Amino acid sequence: MEFVEFYQATAHRTLRYAYGLTGDLPQAQDVVQEAYARAWQRWRRLSGYDDAEAWVRLVVSRLVFDWWRHLLVRKNVVLGVPATVPAPSEETVLLVAAMKQLPERHRRALALHYLMDMSIGQIAAETGASEGTVKSWLSRGRDELAAALRDEVDQVKIPPVGSVAELGLRKRRRRVVASVTAGGLAVLAAIVLVTGLLGRSRALPPPAVTPTGSPMEFSPMQRVAGVSIAKEPFTLGIQDGRGFAVVQLADSVQVTGVDLATGVTLWPTVTIPGRIQDGGGARLVPGAVVVAQHSLFAAIDHTVGHVYVVDTATGKVRWQRALEVDLSETVFFPGVAVYLDGVSHVAVGIDLATGAQWSIAGPVEEVFGMSSVADLARLEQNGTPPRTVFSGDVLFAADRSGTITEYSVTTGRPTGRTWPNLPQAEWYDAYDGDIYLIGQHALTRLHLADGQQIQEFAGHTISDFTPCGVRGICVVDAEDARSTQTTVVAIVAGKEAWRVAMPGVTTLGPIGTSVRVNRSVEYDANVVLDDHGRPTLTVSGRTSLSRLDAGNLLGVNIEFGDKQVRLRLSGIPVATMHETDLGQLTLPSSLDYAGSGKFLLVATDGELVVYRIAK
């Protein structure tokens, strides 16, 4: 998903959340804009998260928490008697009115906890209630307060996405300019000069698989069937010839499954209590739908979250578990979900079949797995973020000290391999037996077989990274602080294989042995480059590409009108990159879609519709 789509889909919910925390609408709007500006700066990484919206909520919570502390500090400072006392704002009146609707015990617990910064234990001691009762007061009070405030926020217009992007761009410019000034242009030049001296070649065995498949014979889409759902879905996905929709209702979650070939529902709709939008997320993984929830204020009070696992074969809830961790950042391995708590920096793994748990005490800053050449055939299938799904049986945890440790996915126990004293990185990626440490200006490769560290690339500003080709990696290098002059650089066996200067590149993604290049909206053209850096396909900047199978892509061009959404769809074999027009859908509201093999699944206006798009 591109940042513009993400912002339009989530900003209003986030504003409602911020308003519930602050009770001050202008302050909530400021906080939300700041949070999305930070998300825009990090979108290359956040776009791979299972639930990027939860990351934004976490930032909002911390910003609001700082704001409340600031207000308390100001309250305790003696400033003298003011000449006049201004009238309370309309938003303050609304919040006070909403608070007055709560029972006294709920209102008191909320005030003591969030305004006086008292712990649950301290509140229990002051009120004479048990800690469990206090938790119940806080939970019910939050629900009642959220209901009282929700309708007011829904009337507020969110700022245009351009203003958020511009704020993020200004912040990035300040950061990059400061870094370049501090380090000096001479240092950057020296790094570039020595890059070739530090390269290390290693023998390249033949690839294990060919990450492309047979082309399909596409045809205009034909409706197979439609299934009724309560409303537009929170999550939509396809797996093993079946489609699944996860719908968020007022106080429950519904999961619906449908057979794509016949359009028949797989089992009666499953209902789960709770609200996804309060945290966590919903994710389709092999054999299961994973629904994770946490409290509205989990980032502040570290309250308990819940994980539910629905078996896609039977439609039954396999198990549910309460977790005292933040559920917003998640990665998946075969049969295991790993949650990284952004507050305590503890990683918790859960076996999706049994619910058994393990934990890594940390402090852990990032958890990731190893991708292989075989994964190039399935990365981004159905829009799955490639940096949150891994196929191996080990995971890697990085801490603040520059140490990476390897753990077993099934037990959470260290395997005995650890790599200390590594360069600081903004994020990590692992591919084909190497871990890549991506910094702002340099890319370092850690070869796990012998522990050797090699600086693969040094440039001005590295803004994205992806596997490309059978044994290569590609990076985006911004040529100046404004990040408008960018170059895509491919590195194979420690040496630069090719580079393509292309302005406005934002993100990269693998498409078999090729690489998809997304560009900012002003250039209105996304490009696919082959393993020699040659363009093989150019599509509109409003067109998203996702994988139908190992050999075919789905192109979806989206145009938003005042009261409708138009989709122009095309099928694209990877081998030929020739587009076949599949037709157009005109829908009266927002939508979700997923494609896999010969089928397309579209959800809107209370209906889940299956289309066939190939013979």
Side-chain angles (χ1 to χ4, degrees), residues 237-244 258-261 266 284-288 312-313 381-382 596-597 599:
I238 294 176
Q239 195 167 96
D240 297 329
R242 298 171 294 172
F244 301 91
V258 59
D259 181 87
L260 298 180
L266 300 174
L284 176 64
V285 298
T312 55
Q381 185 172 349
N382 301 331
S596 181
F599 295 97

Side-chain angles (χ1 to χ4, degrees), residues 349-513:
I350 304 181
D351 187 299
L352 297 179
T354 65
Q357 296 179 213
W358 53 254
S359 64
I360 300 173
V364 179
E365 290 298 307
E366 188 163 345
V367 173
F368 55 98
M370 178 70 67
S371 299
S372 68
V373 179
D375 292 321
L376 294 180
R378 66 177 183 85
L379 289 179
E380 300 191 341
Q381 185 172 349
N382 301 331
T384 300
R387 291 171 184 151
T388 62
V389 179
F390 303 99
S391 57
D393 57 0
V394 296
L395 64 85
F396 303 96
D399 64 22
R400 294 179 181 177
S401 69
T403 297
I404 294 177
T405 304
E406 185 182 74
Y407 295 86
S408 165
V409 167
T410 55
T411 65
R413 296 173 183 169
T415 64
R417 296 208 300 176
T418 185
W419 300 270
N421 305 317
L422 299 174
Q424 291 297 314
E426 292 193 4
W427 83 95
Y428 303 86
D429 219 317
Y431 175 62
D432 192 30
D434 295 321
I435 292 179
Y436 293 89
L437 297 85
I438 301 100
Q440 187 172 3
H441 307 299
L443 173 71
T444 300
R445 174 161 57 96
L446 170 64
H447 187 44
L448 300 188
D450 56 17
Q452 190 171 2
Q453 301 175 37
I454 304 297
Q455 188 178 90
E456 294 279 280
F457 177 78
H460 294 84
T461 303
I462 300 174
S463 60
D464 202 18
F465 167 99
T466 189
C468 65
V470 174
R471 297 298 188 196
I473 57 165
C474 287
V475 299
V476 179
D477 185 31
E479 298 295 336
D480 57 41
R482 294 180 61 87
S483 300
T484 56
Q485 299 302 314
T486 51
T487 300
V488 180
V489 183
I491 302 164
V492 178
K495 298 180 180 180
E496 182 177 312
W498 52 261
R499 62 169 53 220
V500 177
M502 187 178 297
V505 175
T506 56
T507 59
L508 303 175
I511 296 179
T513 58

